[in-house]
Amino acid sequence: MMFMLRVYCLPIVWLNLAVAVFSADKYSREDFPPGFIFGSGTSAYQVEGAASEDGRSPSIWDTFSHQGKMGGATGDISVDEYHKYKEDVKLMAEIGLDAYRFSISWPRLIPNGRGPANPKAVRYYNNLINELISHGIQPHVTLYHYDHPQALEDEYGGWISRKIIKDFTAFADVCFREFGDRVMYWTTLNEPNILPLFSYDVGQLPPNRCSPPFGFNCTQGNSTSEPYLVAHHLLLAHASAVRLYRKKYQDKQQGFIGINLFVFATYPLTNSTEDVLATQRANDFFVGLIANPVVYGVYPDIVKKNAGSRLPAFTNQESRQVKGSFDFLGVNHYMSIQVKDDSASLKSEYRDYLADMAVEMMADIDNTKFEYPIQPAGMQAALEYMKQAYGNPPIYIHENGQRTRRTSSLDDTSRVKYMHGYIGSVLDAIRNGSNTRGYFTWSLIDVLELLGGYEACFGLYYVDINDPQLKRHAKLSAHWYSQFLKGRPVGSTSDALIELA
């Protein structure tokens, strides 16, 4: 799970939503459309461990974490799903999940970034996929979750080079060929609207690129141009992989392919024209940078205007290839923000991506509690925005969950209240016409959080990382989700809380 921009923690003054709010307080699984998918998810570096086993090479995350930039936390072992996948699949079956979303580690499957596939990695992912299917659980696979091989970063700079388009497409080809006979849902990229900002503008995440006066103590990079260059290459790589899948695999394998976006619910701080326009500008920069090209084949006008020549242009052929390059859109949503105009930032001659956006963003987060505010109406607002701005595409909510401080207590009442509210808001959105087809919690178990190490957690299961056996312990939220998935109606949050066995 990832977020955020320059977020200021202030109380939120709620504005009226331009959507119908049903406030589903009492509901059951039967209220959702037939075929609606419920699942949970993780990602490779955050959950697998076995970082140097069976031929895996370092990813940019290995390099970053071993430089001490995650407070000493690394994914070397994490929660060791590489060796404990059967145990975890059994937990998924006991909960009653329809699907499990996970990612494939590029440096595990193709250690040098290009070349032959690692047979031990092929065997591992085949075993995981077969184990899921044997328990009636659909595999939903993300190809890239922030973790390309360090070898490609060293060779040509990773996503700042067009060379990665060919290598990513070859990696995708191996995945489609080896696993596509059983994987029906593919996501090319996780949050490509986050990566340019956090990795190449502010440099808070690997490969830790930025330039003064922007960013977090980087030694290389260019915050004014690289975020746009990287976004452009991500889009071209995505379109290339989709084109390959549709040409070579989709008719035979009968699967679906899409791309994932991080989506806030955004509200203007005031009713002023400036803040209202700033809110749309934030959406255009933050969501539209990726969504507009894949839906319409072009970047948003305001992005082109404010970024100018720093934003690469699509050729006519590239525009045609990017446009419509999805069967569904994945959405990661955690919270709502308020937006305040900051047009003064446009007066600076030397600007980064955030200055081009020209907004301030505010979230109602109490960091002393370590928990996200429970604002379920924001889920419906985010889905309504996707419906209205992008023609109501099929949507899978790939990530949604409550952050808490890691603790051995299994009473995560806040997470139960969060899930109850947000799943109910998904139902409200569907009743209002949203083409949402699935919901995945983040995360199945407590994993290495990319912005919180082992201090923050989102899991339905607690894992004591100091326990040599890394035993999983069901939290209250796991029991609540299981009973909901097995047909138990859930009412108000007080009624929904069930006692731990």
Side-chain angles (χ1 to χ4, degrees):
M1 171 273 166
M2 315 271 306
F3 75 107
M4 303 214 276
L5 308 186
R6 283 175 192 147
V7 175
Y8 301 84
C9 299
L10 294 178
I12 286 183
V13 179
W14 288 104
L15 305 177
N16 292 326
L17 291 177
V19 296
V21 180
F22 294 93
S23 299
D25 183 57
K26 188 172 185 178
Y27 57 85
S28 74
R29 181 171 184 170
E30 298 303 315
D31 292 314
F32 286 81
F36 191 90
I37 294 169
F38 284 99
S40 191
T42 61
S43 82
Y45 184 69
Q46 295 176 264
V47 74
E48 283 182 2
S52 58
E53 292 185 38
D54 292 342
R56 181 187 181 276
S57 70
S59 74
I60 57 171
W61 271 101
D62 293 280
T63 302
F64 185 78
S65 64
H66 279 270
Q67 291 172 345
K69 295 182 178 178
M70 298 184 69
T74 76
D76 291 358
I77 299 174
S78 187
V79 291
D80 198 25
E81 189 169 271
Y82 188 76
H83 296 109
K84 299 174 76 68
Y85 70 91
K86 288 187 177 181
E87 178 182 339
D88 288 344
V89 173
K90 184 179 179 181
L91 297 179
M92 299 175 209
E94 289 174 354
I95 291 177
L97 298 186
D98 300 323
Y100 178 51
R101 176 180 178 249
F102 63 96
S103 70
I104 291 177
S105 169
W106 188 349
R108 189 181 297 282
L109 188 65
I110 307 178
N112 294 322
R114 69 169 69 88
N118 174 6
K120 292 183 178 180
V122 173
R123 183 173 67 239
Y124 167 69
Y125 289 113
N126 271 326
N127 288 342
L128 173 58
I129 290 166
N130 291 340
E131 190 74 11
L132 289 166
I133 292 172
S134 71
H135 285 80
I137 299 168
Q138 297 177 356
H140 285 233
V141 175
T142 301
L143 294 175
Y144 182 77
H145 200 113
Y146 300 116
D147 57 347
H148 61 270
Q150 182 65 40
L152 298 185
E153 189 67 26
D154 294 339
E155 180 182 344
Y156 54 66
W159 288 106
I160 65 173
S161 170
R162 287 183 70 101
K163 292 180 180 179
I164 201 169
I165 299 169
K166 180 179 179 181
D167 289 338
F168 177 75
T169 306
F171 163 59
D173 195 7
V174 173
C175 295
F176 299 149
R177 182 181 71 239
E178 298 291 344
F179 316 122
D181 59 327
R182 287 149 294 150
V183 175
M184 296 293 103
Y185 296 90
W186 295 97
T187 302
T188 55
L189 305 169
N190 181 74
E191 298 176 349
N193 56 331
I194 288 284
L195 187 67
L197 169 65
F198 269 84
S199 296
Y200 297 88
D201 184 354
V202 299
Q204 189 176 356
L205 298 177
N208 187 217
R209 296 181 66 91
C210 61
S211 58
F214 315 105
F216 290 81
N217 194 28
C218 306
T219 59
Q220 58 185 342
N222 187 328
S223 296
T224 66
S225 61
E226 285 187 5
Y228 297 112
L229 186 65
V230 166
H232 196 69
H233 293 161
L234 286 163
L235 283 163
L236 294 178
H238 157 76
S240 178
V242 171
R243 188 165 67 253
L244 168 72
Y245 183 69
R246 288 176 170 173
K247 180 179 180 180
K248 191 175 178 181
Y249 297 101
Q250 193 166 36
D251 285 347
K252 181 179 180 180
Q253 296 178 352
Q254 295 296 298
F256 306 91
I257 192 165
I259 192 169
N260 170 281
L261 299 165
F262 189 103
V263 181
F264 289 111
T266 55
Y267 305 91
L269 180 65
T270 72
N271 288 323
S272 69
T273 300
E274 291 79 8
D275 286 353
V276 171
L277 292 175
T279 302
Q280 183 57 53
R281 191 163 61 246
N283 284 327
D284 284 339
F285 266 83
F286 194 60
V287 178
L289 181 69
I290 302 299
N292 273 57
V294 299
V295 175
Y296 302 116
V298 295
Y299 289 113
D301 288 341
I302 191 64
V303 177
K304 291 190 287 186
K305 176 183 176 182
N306 288 6
S309 62
R310 290 173 290 134
L311 177 69
F314 293 117
T315 65
N316 290 337
Q317 181 182 14
E318 288 170 345
S319 178
R320 289 192 298 269
Q321 290 171 347
V322 172
K323 182 179 180 179
S325 57
F326 67 96
D327 299 320
F328 64 86
L329 296 179
V331 166
N332 295 352
H333 174 79
Y334 289 88
M335 67 177 64
S336 304
I337 58 172
Q338 285 187 294
V339 179
K340 181 179 183 297
D341 177 64
D342 185 25
S343 294
S345 67
L346 295 174
K347 296 178 182 179
S348 174
E349 183 178 353
Y350 186 63
R351 301 200 303 265
D352 67 341
Y353 171 84
L354 287 178
D356 291 338
M357 195 185 305
V359 303
E360 292 181 5
M361 295 187 174
M362 292 153 276
D364 186 18
I365 303 174
D366 183 351
N367 283 320
T368 62
K369 291 184 177 180
F370 226 69
E371 297 175 358
Y372 293 156
I374 301 176
Q375 302 160 340
M379 173 69 85
Q380 185 181 356
L383 293 175
E384 184 70 17
Y385 179 79
M386 298 301 292
K387 181 181 81 173
Q388 295 186 10
Y390 299 110
N392 203 18
I395 295 276
Y396 288 89
I397 299 161
H398 278 158
E399 293 183 22
N400 175 248
Q402 173 64 293
R403 180 185 72 165
T404 58
R405 192 179 301 277
R406 182 180 287 265
T407 171
S408 60
S409 172
L410 304 181
D411 182 1
D412 57 344
T413 300
S414 174
R415 184 166 290 111
V416 171
K417 292 180 178 179
Y418 184 101
M419 292 172 64
H420 176 267
Y422 281 77
I423 293 174
S425 190
V426 173
L427 179 58
D428 292 341
I430 292 170
R431 288 171 170 170
N432 202 47
S434 173
N435 192 13
T436 302
R437 300 184 179 185
Y439 171 91
F440 292 73
T441 68
W442 183 269
S443 54
L444 175 70
I445 53 183
D446 289 343
V447 300
L448 171 68
E449 283 300 330
L450 301 183
L451 282 175
Y454 293 110
E455 184 179 6
C457 68
F458 291 78
L460 304 176
Y461 286 84
Y462 165 70
V463 182
D464 181 357
I465 60 173
N466 295 315
D467 173 11
Q469 302 303 315
L470 296 170
K471 185 176 179 181
R472 282 72 163 131
H473 303 270
K475 301 179 189 178
L476 184 67
S477 56
H479 291 286
W480 181 90
Y481 198 34
S482 178
Q483 293 210 20
F484 164 71
L485 293 181
K486 294 173 182 177
R488 178 182 185 269
V490 290
S492 66
T493 51
S494 59
D495 295 334
L497 300 183
I498 58 177
E499 292 187 7
L500 290 169

